[in-house]
């Protein structure tokens, strides 16, 4: 059976540097950082006191009532907000679609962590009868997919994906496969995360995974720079509408790009550290390029995982060289995390959207804070300034704790 072609017809983004796709993309092109001191709880005893928080977020502005929002964790609210934008942007009237041909798959790394913390405090202070009846549906990972499906009446395959920082990319890749195999026509998919909480921050601090550049928050996330010292937590959601090509054409949809390749592997090495030789990351990227029916030299642009941790950036650079050989030096590479922070389970989704905008607008956004070259990170990271360039094919990498690797290839749509 010939696999069906998959195109992107809608996008929605809720990020620390923009609460819609346009603002998010404009901020990326401008090199605008969303990192600052954490304001929502006391961080005076934490080694890391900075993050990329959503600022002035109001669910009502995203068609989510105050009553409904009170019953949900923010990671679900974020997914709904981004999905509302994506579906509206796609122009789909879901009431006119066969609901069983519409899928919803959404990734998240930590789910309702803030709700768990809040309700656990109630349990300890006031006893079990005071715990909210909405605790369970607010905390479980799959509920963002469940709520989006309820909102739009989507009755096809529906579940959550949990693969740490690769969750959003895996969700998009799995959705692509459903459409390619002819199981569904439409998928609303992406990632969402809300883990900037006292416990979440404490855990990452104890891991020593975060930047401690508290005095210069906007310079803290510095992927591939020799003085990088850890990642910066972010939050938000990215959602896309994927559609089978003929279905999209039949309804006259605007097609932004074609999702053509997906590769996924496991390091099977360590719970947090990447495999030193990058064998599995290399295999995932090669699989995505092959799946897209492209040659390595066809890739013009890579949106790197680019976390700003010493190990990740060094090994990701090595993996890119493994896959592309001499062509690696000709590829423009950006790290969205240099500005938006690391959205964990949502990172792959907002970075996939950045790839699409790179293709449609002919602009590669910069990797900001790249000031001190690292001999082990010696590729073209589009330092500090956006670059006008034609991009016909782009790849985005996502890597997660537990050794999860996911790569997606998106191409300019050519009919």
């Amino acid at each position: 059976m010939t696999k069906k072609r998959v195109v992107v017809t809608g996008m929605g983004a809720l990020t620390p540097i923009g609460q819609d796709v346009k603002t998010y993309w404009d901020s990326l092109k401008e090199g605008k950082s969303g990192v600052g001191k954490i304001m929502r709880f006391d961080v005076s005893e934490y080694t890391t006191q900075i993050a990329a928080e959503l600022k002035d977020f109001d669910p009502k502005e995203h068609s989510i009532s105050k009553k409904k929002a009170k019953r949900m964790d923010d990671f679900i609210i974020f997914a709904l907000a981004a999905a509302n934008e994506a579906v509206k942007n796609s122009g789909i009237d879901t009431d006119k679609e066969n609901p069983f041909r519409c899928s919803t798959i959404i990734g998240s790394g930590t789910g309702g962590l803030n709700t768990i913390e809040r309700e656990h405090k109630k349990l300890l202070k006031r006893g079990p009868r005071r715990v909210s009846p909405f605790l369970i549906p607010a905390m479980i990972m799959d509920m963002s997919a469940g709520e989006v499906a309820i909102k739009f009446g989507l009755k096809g395959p529906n579940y959550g994906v949990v693969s740490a920082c690769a969750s959003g990319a895996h969700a998009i890749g799995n959705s692509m496969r459903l459409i390619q195999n002819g199981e569904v026509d439409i998928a609303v998919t992406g990632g969402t995360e809300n883990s900037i909480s006292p416990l979440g921050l404490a855990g990452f601090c104890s891991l020593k995974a975060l930047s401690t550049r508290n005095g210069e928050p906007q310079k803290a996330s510095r992927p591939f720079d020799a003085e990088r010292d850890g990642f910066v937590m972010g939050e938000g959601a990215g959602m896309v509408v994927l559609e089978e090509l003929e279905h999209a054409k039949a309804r006259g949809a605007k097609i932004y790009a074609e999702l053509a390749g997906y590769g996924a592997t496991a390091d099977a090495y360590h719970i947090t550290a990447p495999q030193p030789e990058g064998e599995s990351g290399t295999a995932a990227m090669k699989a995505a390029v092959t799946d897209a029916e492209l040659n390595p030299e066809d890739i013009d642009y890579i949106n790197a995982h680019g976390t700003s941790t010493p190990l990740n950036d060094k090994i990701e650079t090595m993996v890119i060289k493994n896959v592309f050989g001499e062509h690696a030096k000709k590829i423009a590479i950006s790290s969205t995390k240099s500005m938006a922070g690391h959205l964990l389970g949502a990172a792959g989704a907002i970075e996939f959207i950045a790839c699409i905008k790179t293709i449609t607008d002919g602009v590669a956004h910069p990797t900001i804070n790249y000031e001190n070259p690292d001999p082990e990170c010696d590729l073209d990271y589009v330092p500090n300034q956006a670059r006008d360039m034609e991009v016909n094919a782009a790849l985005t990498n996502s890597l997660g704790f537990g050794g999860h690797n996911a790569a997606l290839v998106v191409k300019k749509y050519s009919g």
Side-chain angles (χ1 to χ4, degrees):
M1 183 182 72
T2 303
K3 66 183 181 183
K4 296 181 181 294
R5 292 172 67 184
V6 181
V7 293
V8 181
T9 58
M11 298 180 284
L14 182 71
T15 79
I17 55 174
Q19 297 185 19
D20 55 63
V21 170
K22 183 183 185 306
T23 310
Y24 163 59
W25 179 237
D26 286 347
S27 294
L28 286 178
K29 290 186 294 182
E30 293 165 9
K32 181 179 178 181
S33 173
V35 182
K37 184 173 181 180
I38 294 171
M39 303 303 294
R40 72 184 56 156
F41 56 90
D42 182 11
V43 293
S44 58
E45 296 186 15
Y46 289 79
T47 53
T48 291
Q49 301 175 358
I50 57 175
E53 296 176 291
L54 283 178
K55 300 164 186 72
D56 303 317
F57 173 70
D58 184 351
K60 290 185 292 184
E61 293 180 3
H62 299 270
S63 304
I64 304 166
S65 70
K66 184 176 180 181
K67 180 180 179 181
K68 192 169 183 64
K70 285 182 68 175
R71 299 179 177 183
M72 299 176 180
D73 188 89
D74 278 352
F75 91 101
I76 303 171
I77 297 172
F78 295 167
L80 276 170
N84 284 340
E85 182 186 8
V87 172
K88 182 178 180 181
N89 179 243
S90 75
I92 288 176
D93 184 347
T94 55
D95 291 337
K96 295 180 179 178
E97 298 293 334
N98 178 347
F100 294 100
R101 301 283 299 174
C102 301
S103 175
T104 317
I105 302 174
I106 300 174
S108 181
T110 62
L113 186 59
N114 278 274
T115 294
I116 294 170
E117 290 186 47
R118 183 181 66 248
E119 296 302 321
H120 183 247
K121 288 178 184 176
K122 286 186 189 177
L123 174 67
L124 295 181
K125 291 183 178 181
R126 302 166 67 185
R129 294 177 184 272
R130 304 301 297 179
V131 171
S132 170
F134 297 105
L135 165 62
I136 301 303
M139 63 171 266
I140 53 179
M141 303 285 188
D142 69 304
M143 199 53 67
S144 58
E147 288 282 6
V148 169
I150 291 167
K151 166 78 175 178
F152 296 106
L154 312 178
K155 297 182 179 180
N158 177 281
Y159 55 89
V161 172
V162 185
S163 52
C165 306
S167 300
H170 276 135
I172 293 169
N174 289 358
S175 298
M176 169 190 170
R177 291 286 187 249
L178 287 176
I179 297 173
Q180 283 182 330
N181 294 336
E183 297 177 52
V184 301
D185 301 314
I186 296 167
V188 180
T189 182
T192 184
E193 202 73 89
N194 172 41
S195 57
I196 302 174
S197 71
L199 184 61
L201 180 64
F204 278 117
C205 284
S206 293
L207 267 179
K208 300 189 185 305
L210 301 178
S211 172
T212 56
R213 199 183 288 260
N214 298 316
E216 296 181 298
Q218 294 193 346
K219 292 188 175 183
S221 184
R222 43 199 315 113
F224 306 105
D225 184 88
E227 295 186 5
R228 63 191 184 275
D229 71 330
F231 76 84
V232 175
M233 293 177 75
E235 61 185 353
M239 300 291 289
V240 293
V241 175
L242 302 182
E243 202 164 343
E244 192 274 322
L245 174 59
E246 296 305 319
H247 185 279
K249 287 165 67 176
R251 69 177 187 87
K254 179 175 181 179
I255 295 172
Y256 292 101
E258 180 174 359
L259 174 55
Y262 172 44
T265 62
D267 283 357
Y269 170 73
H270 189 272
I271 57 173
T272 57
Q275 197 265 342
E277 288 77 35
E279 176 189 29
S280 298
T282 299
M285 292 174 66
K286 284 184 174 180
V289 174
T290 300
D291 190 42
E293 299 179 352
L294 296 175
N295 297 312
E297 57 269 23
D298 294 325
I299 300 298
D300 306 304
Y301 171 80
I302 293 174
N303 189 292
H305 191 57
T307 58
S308 185
T309 60
L311 269 181
N312 174 91
D313 296 0
K314 178 179 75 170
I315 292 176
E316 187 172 14
T317 297
M318 178 179 66
V319 166
I320 292 170
K321 292 177 181 179
N322 290 347
V323 175
F324 296 99
E326 284 300 309
H327 181 63
K329 297 176 182 177
K330 300 177 183 178
I331 300 173
I333 303 166
S334 301
S335 173
T336 301
K337 295 179 182 71
S338 64
M339 290 167 275
H342 192 346
L343 270 64
L344 308 178
I350 68 163
E351 290 159 13
F352 178 65
I353 290 169
C355 282
I356 295 166
K357 295 297 290 181
T358 297
I359 288 172
T360 60
D361 288 18
V363 180
H365 77 68
T367 302
I368 68 167
N369 300 321
Y370 186 81
E371 298 170 342
N372 309 285
D374 181 342
E376 294 184 295
C377 298
D378 57 353
L379 297 177
D380 177 7
Y381 307 110
V382 193
N384 303 312
Q385 296 290 329
R387 181 183 302 164
D388 292 337
M389 61 179 293
E390 183 178 2
V391 175
N392 292 302
L395 182 147
T396 181
N397 278 330
S398 294
L399 316 175
F401 281 179
H404 310 293
N405 307 298
L408 299 168
V409 172
V410 60
K411 299 192 302 187
K412 184 176 289 187
Y413 173 65
S414 59

